[in-house]
């Protein structure tokens, strides 16, 4: 079959009364695909502050995750045995927003960068600071042994970068 034969068949098909119906059907299918893709809810564009809020941990979830991680570390220390951990946080997450600066003749002006997504506008999040840990209570087997307590103090202080006066270790009954 040559190119000329293919072109002749296409011309005949174009003149066929079925051609407009097929063209309309294909157009309708393409429009439906476009409409359904708009309603899928998936958008991989830049994340705004409202999108980021759902991605980052709440203070409660952060605390629970931290307690579990610390418990797992502590029970792996020789002599600790079972352990229970309570983490107290002093704040919630802190959002730092991106800013843009404009230099005037006598002053510098700053404003928060806003992302425009059609009808929705939101601030651009630069980073999120985790909650600050204000204190930790650890109750563990071996909490009465000064050597074990020293290991626990050092492990927790190093893991969370907090001073040992914010950590309390007690023996489990």
């Amino acid at each position: 079959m040559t190119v000329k034969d293919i072109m002749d068949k296409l011309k005949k098909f174009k003149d066929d009364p079925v051609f407009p119906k097929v063209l309309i059907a294909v157009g309708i299918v393409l429009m439906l695909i476009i409409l359904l893709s708009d309603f899928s809810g998936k958008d991989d564009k830049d994340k705004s502050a409202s999108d980021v809020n759902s991605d980052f941990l709440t203070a409660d979830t952060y605390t629970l995750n931290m307690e579990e991680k610390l418990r797992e570390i502590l029970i792996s220390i020789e002599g600790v045995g079972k352990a229970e951990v309570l983490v107290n946080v002093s704040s919630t997450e802190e959002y730092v927003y991106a800013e843009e600066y404009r230099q005037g003749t006598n002053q510098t002006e700053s404003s928060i960068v806003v992302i425009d997504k059609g009808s929705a506008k939101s601030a651009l999040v630069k980073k999120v600071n985790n909650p600050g840990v204000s204190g930790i209570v650890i109750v563990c087997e071996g909490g009465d042994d000064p050597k074990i307590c020293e290991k626990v103090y050092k492990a927790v202080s190093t893991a969370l970068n907090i001073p040992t006066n914010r950590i309390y270790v007690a023996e489990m009954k």
Side-chain angles (χ1 to χ4, degrees):
M1 186 176 268
T2 65
V3 175
K4 186 175 179 166
D5 293 338
I6 294 172
M7 293 302 289
D8 288 340
K9 285 187 180 188
L10 285 175
K11 286 179 184 177
K12 287 180 185 176
F13 182 69
K14 189 176 99 177
D15 295 335
D16 192 2
V18 175
F19 179 72
K21 294 176 184 174
V22 171
L23 192 60
I24 291 171
V26 168
I28 290 172
V29 169
L30 288 175
M31 287 184 353
L32 286 174
I33 290 172
I34 291 170
L35 284 174
L36 291 176
S37 68
D38 285 346
F39 292 120
S40 68
K42 294 187 180 182
D43 190 11
D44 293 335
K45 295 184 181 176
D46 295 334
K47 289 188 175 188
S48 64
S50 61
D51 296 333
V52 172
N53 287 341
S54 63
D55 292 346
F56 290 101
L57 302 174
T58 64
D60 291 337
T61 306
Y62 174 80
T63 302
L64 291 173
N65 287 340
M66 191 58 61
E67 288 172 353
E68 183 59 29
K69 286 179 183 179
L70 283 174
R71 190 186 69 72
E72 289 175 10
I73 289 171
L74 294 174
I75 61 175
S76 67
I77 296 174
E78 186 177 343
V80 172
K82 293 180 184 175
E84 294 294 325
V85 178
L86 174 71
V87 175
N88 188 16
V89 293
S90 58
S91 62
T92 60
E93 298 92 2
E94 176 185 7
Y95 294 92
V96 179
Y97 298 101
E99 294 182 77
E100 60 184 356
Y101 298 94
R102 292 187 191 101
Q103 183 70 35
T105 55
N106 295 331
Q107 62 186 5
T108 301
E109 204 176 287
S110 69
S111 61
I112 294 176
V113 176
V114 176
I115 297 173
D116 188 5
K117 283 187 162 182
S119 63
K121 291 183 180 182
S122 57
L124 177 64
V125 176
K126 184 176 177 181
K127 74 176 187 175
V128 177
N129 295 327
N130 285 326
V133 176
S134 59
I136 298 177
V137 176
I138 299 162
V139 179
C140 62
E141 295 176 345
D144 59 336
D145 184 350
K147 290 181 181 178
I148 303 297
C149 283
E150 185 63 25
K151 290 179 183 178
V152 169
Y153 279 112
K154 284 184 179 181
V156 174
S157 177
T158 302
L160 297 178
N161 194 27
I162 62 170
T164 56
N165 66 346
R166 291 189 185 176
I167 305 167
Y168 176 74
V169 180
E171 178 185 11
M172 185 177 277
K173 61 177 179 175

